[in-house]
Amino acid sequence: MQAIRIVGGAPLQGTVAVLGAKNAVLKHMVASLLAPGEHRIVNVPGIHDVALMGQVLRHVGAECERRDNELVIGVPDEPFPEAPLDLVRQMRASILVLGALLARTGTARVALPGGDDFGTRPIDLHLGGLEDMGATFDLVHGVLHASAPRGLHGAEVFLEFPSVGATENLLLAAVLADGETVISNAAREPELVDLAAYLQKMGAKIDGAGTSTIHVVGVDHLEPAGHRVVPDRLEAGTYAAAAAMTGGDVTITDCVPDHLRMELSKLADAGVSVEVGEGWCRIRGPERPAAVDFATLPYPGFHTDMHPQMVAFLSVADGTSIVTENVYASRFRYLGELNRMGADIHADGQHVVVRGVERLSGCEVDGCDIRAAAALTIAGLRADGETLVVGAGHVDRGYDGFVPKLAAMGADVSRVEV
Ligand code: EPU
């Protein structure tokens, strides 16, 4: 098993560039299935989830090759409408082929994704919306058999919660459906806006992406297109938290600071100097952060996927911070690992009480998901002695060159086999 070994103490310095967003490109890959022919997507990170989605596309009959951050996808005239369990289990985002395949072929068989460390993560909102559009579902031996024998039609869908995945699934289905679809209480995430922009280049008629109400008028067919993926705000935010944690001075380039407005403002509240410009931000960390409270919410609220990194940072704050997790029922497994490093953190229901300590001390910890592994690495950058984050493979799912980028900023960090 691979681990990340960190010897804490070095303040991060220099410049780091971010690549395209994982949570955008995975959706673009699925969206490409809507138009036969060759698509070109650039600014694509070399991460494990992109490789996994490539396997999903190949299973469906598409060709998919990534070279130098460019992805070339060849979509067949008649995709094979199935996503198998071994791939869906490894990556929840594969559930999005449901909307795309239903729209393209009128049928889809997709293994039902299970729960994970964040709680059960149901897909009822995806299914309810697609049913409103004329789809029917049958669960057979853990596989969802979907069909729309008369094709999908436009519908008014009201989402109980602005789910990112449900909004995307409905958008993918609606662009080729018959008539107009209105998605109310839609997610407003920048990655979703980027998906809509790509679909529009393919010829889709979409209005209102980035607001709570999205209007889509279905078209007969879509054309292949080229697209540059929006920068990854989570990669940028993670390096911002790392720089802040070490009292460093780092300029993050190729990013959109506006997409991180809430997260950067909370860092500033904690005493971090934050300077932003067109496509970059400069982060200068304090000697010791001040405590701040924050609550995760759908965009433009504080991103749940920045919660563990921010808690790692606040673990050494001067004072007590209260963190409220509103997006996931449970996202706290990493807290016990931070406490093993000397942090003083307690979860009670959706709330986390972070009593800042002066020092963390390095030890072996378990990075149980992408953001937990990133957060524990950030903690290790400030801890006394050596920290070993086991489960390094998780960071490869979402960060291209995580360890080399940290090392280039002066961190004493490496990948080791354990
Ligand atoms: N939910 C339901 N029913 C549904 C759909 C969602 O109850 O039908 C609940 C979920 O259980 C969860 C909440 O709604 O509690 C939010 O889920 P959402 O659908 O918005 O998230 P997602 O589409 O499954 C994406 C990202 C996640 C990110 C969330 C929230 C991708 C591939 N994943 O997941 O990213 O945490 O949005 O912003 O885009 C990560 O990158 O580390 C990651 C987990």
Side-chain angles (χ1 to χ4, degrees):
M1 194 189 277
Q2 291 247 312
I4 300 174
R5 176 186 170 276
I6 312 122
V7 180
L12 299 190
Q13 308 278 351
T15 301
V16 62
V18 305
L19 278 164
K22 164 180 91 73
N23 290 346
V25 68
L26 295 176
K27 324 304 170 63
H28 299 0
M29 293 173 77
V30 175
S32 71
L33 294 175
L34 292 168
E38 188 176 283
H39 298 250
R40 281 179 184 271
I41 304 176
V42 298
N43 201 28
V44 176
I47 54 176
H48 188 57
D49 277 11
V50 166
L52 272 178
M53 190 58 93
Q55 286 186 43
V56 174
L57 294 195
R58 279 183 213 108
H59 186 87
V60 166
E63 285 164 14
C64 182
E65 201 182 331
R66 178 179 172 275
R67 222 181 280 145
D68 296 335
N69 298 343
E70 182 183 37
L71 202 57
V72 181
I73 304 172
V75 177
D77 287 335
E78 287 180 25
F80 178 59
E82 183 185 88
L85 179 61
D86 58 325
L87 295 174
V88 178
R89 185 183 275 153
Q90 290 182 66
M91 187 182 52
R92 254 186 87 80
S94 13
I95 194 68
L96 290 183
V97 297
L98 199 56
L101 290 176
L102 266 176
R104 257 315 284 293
T105 69
T107 163
R109 290 185 303 281
V110 181
L112 209 58
D116 61 20
D117 283 339
F118 307 163
T120 53
R121 291 181 80 182
I123 54 163
D124 53 324
L125 303 175
H126 302 232
L127 303 189
L130 291 170
E131 273 172 352
D132 291 345
M133 297 176 72
T136 58
F137 298 99
D138 204 5
L139 187 62
V140 185
H141 303 303
V143 176
L144 208 53
H145 290 238
S147 68
R150 290 196 208 104
L152 294 173
H153 55 73
E156 294 210 4
V157 183
F158 181 83
L159 294 177
E160 193 180 319
F161 179 87
S163 152
V164 176
T167 308
E168 289 165 340
N169 233 332
L170 294 172
L171 189 58
L172 293 170
V175 288
L176 284 179
D178 183 19
E180 182 173 357
T181 299
V182 182
I183 309 169
S184 300
N185 200 23
R188 292 183 283 163
E189 269 65 6
E191 295 77 21
L192 181 111
V193 176
D194 199 51
L195 172 64
Y198 173 43
L199 289 167
Q200 281 166 330
K201 286 180 191 163
M202 289 162 64
K205 299 214 176 323
I206 303 166
D207 196 30
T211 74
S212 299
T213 309
I214 304 179
H215 292 259
V216 185
V217 177
V219 294
D220 282 347
H221 76 285
L222 296 168
E223 297 287 338
H227 188 72
R228 183 179 181 81
V229 184
V230 67
D232 196 324
R233 60 194 162 117
L234 296 170
E235 190 190 9
T238 300
Y239 293 130
M245 180 71 164
T246 61
D249 180 355
V250 168
T251 299
I252 302 163
T253 65
D254 301 357
C255 63
V256 184
D258 202 40
H259 292 167
L260 273 170
R261 200 185 289 176
M262 182 60 77
E263 294 77 7
L264 292 179
S265 96
K266 287 292 173 183
L267 283 176
D269 290 349
V272 177
S273 156
V274 178
E275 229 182 296
V276 299
E278 184 75 31
W280 60 269
C281 60
R282 181 177 178 189
I283 305 293
R284 277 174 289 177
E287 216 160 274
R288 192 171 179 202
V292 290
D293 299 343
F294 72 93
T296 66
L297 281 170
Y299 189 80
F302 194 100
H303 201 314
T304 178
D305 293 336
M306 276 298 296
H307 148 175
Q309 301 90 311
M310 189 70 179
V311 167
F313 171 61
L314 294 174
S315 70
V316 292
D318 184 8
T320 298
S321 309
I322 309 286
V323 177
T324 306
E325 172 57 53
N326 291 311
V327 177
Y328 290 115
S330 130
R331 177 161 216 168
F332 301 132
R333 218 179 103 190
Y334 74 98
L335 294 180
E337 302 302 294
L338 273 178
N339 285 344
R340 296 182 66 236
M341 297 177 72
D344 182 358
I345 308 176
H346 301 277
D348 185 1
Q350 296 297 95
H351 304 286
V352 181
V353 179
V354 187
R355 293 193 179 88
V357 295
E358 278 191 42
R359 311 193 74 78
L360 295 175
S361 113
C363 63
E364 184 175 320
V365 286
D366 179 14
C368 53
D369 67 68
I370 309 177
R371 311 303 166 190
L376 292 166
T377 304
I378 289 172
L381 290 171
R382 186 171 174 134
D384 295 336
E386 183 181 304
T387 299
L388 206 57
V389 181
V390 179
H394 287 297
V395 294
D396 299 334
R397 292 192 53 195
Y399 297 89
D400 185 341
F402 186 60
V403 167
K405 282 182 178 180
L406 288 173
M409 289 184 271
D412 186 346
V413 59
S414 55
R415 287 286 278 247
V416 293
E417 205 63 48
V418 287

